[in-house]
Amino acid sequence: MFALPFFRRDLPALKGDRVTLRVPLTNDYREWSVLRGESRAFLEPWEPRWNPDELDRTAWRHRLSRYREDYAQGTAIAFFIFEKGNGKLVGGITLGNIRHGVAQSGHIGYWIGERYSGRGLMTDAVKVVTRFAFDTLRLHRIEAACIPDNARSIRVLEKAGFRREGLLRSYLRINGIWQDHYLYARIEDDPPGAGTKD
């Protein structure tokens, strides 16, 4: 359970320069399933293998239940990302593996619909979640893992001020294959624009 009084009420929307983030709601199903379905070939190389029922309404209900359970236990917060102005769902971002005590850390993961990729929306979302993690949750360190071939994700993290710290061998099973990942991290007192420079 989150120890902060903030979590005794509904989590408000988080606002960035270009996006608004809020927790997923039951009536987001149609927009989510359409966006994920049309972006499947774009997303599959970077995600765990999709189940045959991945986009079914029953699987959606299970997903929402897991989001709520993780939130209630204080281990993760899932957000959907909406473009400011038109309010369209563009993707999702999760702050997970939240640990307090001596660690005070969390891990972000994210996805974006193919038609919204390359427009700076995910970079803004990562910055918003990172600020929330530091300012509201009082975490000290945020991590993200990225497949070395995922140039888009690397750019997002570096533009959001994350630094590459090393290579995690055979770290996550992505699209059915154990894959190496770069480990990126941002520390609470890192200066803005302190990401890895190529």
Side-chain angles (χ1 to χ4, degrees):
M1 178 81 67
F2 288 109
L4 302 173
F6 180 85
F7 291 100
R8 294 191 187 128
R9 60 183 189 274
D10 289 337
L11 187 66
L14 307 179
K15 297 185 186 307
D17 294 333
R18 308 185 62 197
V19 298
T20 300
L21 278 56
R22 69 157 168 77
V23 296
L25 303 173
T26 304
N27 60 3
D28 290 323
Y29 168 72
R30 181 166 171 69
E31 194 173 9
W32 170 84
S33 63
V34 168
L35 182 61
R36 294 277 299 172
E38 72 184 25
S39 303
R40 181 171 184 157
F42 177 74
L43 295 171
E44 275 186 319
W46 319 114
E47 296 188 346
R49 181 167 281 159
W50 287 33
N51 293 321
D53 67 346
E54 186 78 21
L55 302 178
D56 291 355
R57 192 173 289 274
T58 300
W60 167 252
R61 285 194 292 268
H62 289 305
R63 181 182 298 268
L64 281 186
S65 177
R66 189 175 66 248
Y67 289 159
R68 291 179 184 130
E69 183 178 321
D70 289 345
Y71 179 76
Q73 293 176 353
T75 58
I77 308 171
F79 295 99
F80 274 179
I81 306 165
F82 298 88
E83 189 170 13
K84 268 191 175 176
N86 63 24
K88 297 283 188 188
L89 175 67
V90 301
I93 186 166
T94 299
L95 177 62
N97 296 324
I98 297 171
R99 294 174 295 163
H100 292 281
V102 71
Q104 291 179 263
S105 66
H107 190 104
I108 59 168
Y110 46 80
W111 65 274
I112 193 163
E114 183 173 15
R115 64 179 138 140
Y116 299 108
S117 179
R119 294 172 42 191
L121 301 173
M122 186 55 74
T123 300
D124 192 31
V126 170
K127 288 178 179 178
V128 169
V129 167
T130 302
R131 192 167 55 244
F132 170 76
F134 292 149
D135 296 346
T136 303
L137 299 186
R138 300 186 185 104
L139 299 182
H140 175 70
R141 175 183 172 88
I142 306 301
E143 298 178 347
C146 179
I147 294 173
D149 291 342
N150 193 343
R152 291 175 190 256
S153 190
I154 288 170
R155 269 196 312 276
V156 165
L157 292 170
E158 293 181 353
K159 285 182 179 178
F162 282 69
R163 294 184 185 181
R164 187 183 307 167
E165 295 190 336
L167 180 70
L168 304 169
R169 295 180 304 122
S170 195
Y171 182 59
L172 296 173
R173 192 170 184 177
I174 300 297
N175 202 19
I177 302 166
W178 287 102
Q179 304 245 14
D180 294 348
H181 283 68
Y182 286 137
L183 175 65
Y184 279 83
R186 178 143 189 196
I187 307 301
E188 178 184 17
D189 54 5
D190 280 345
T196 305
K197 304 293 186 217
D198 288 336

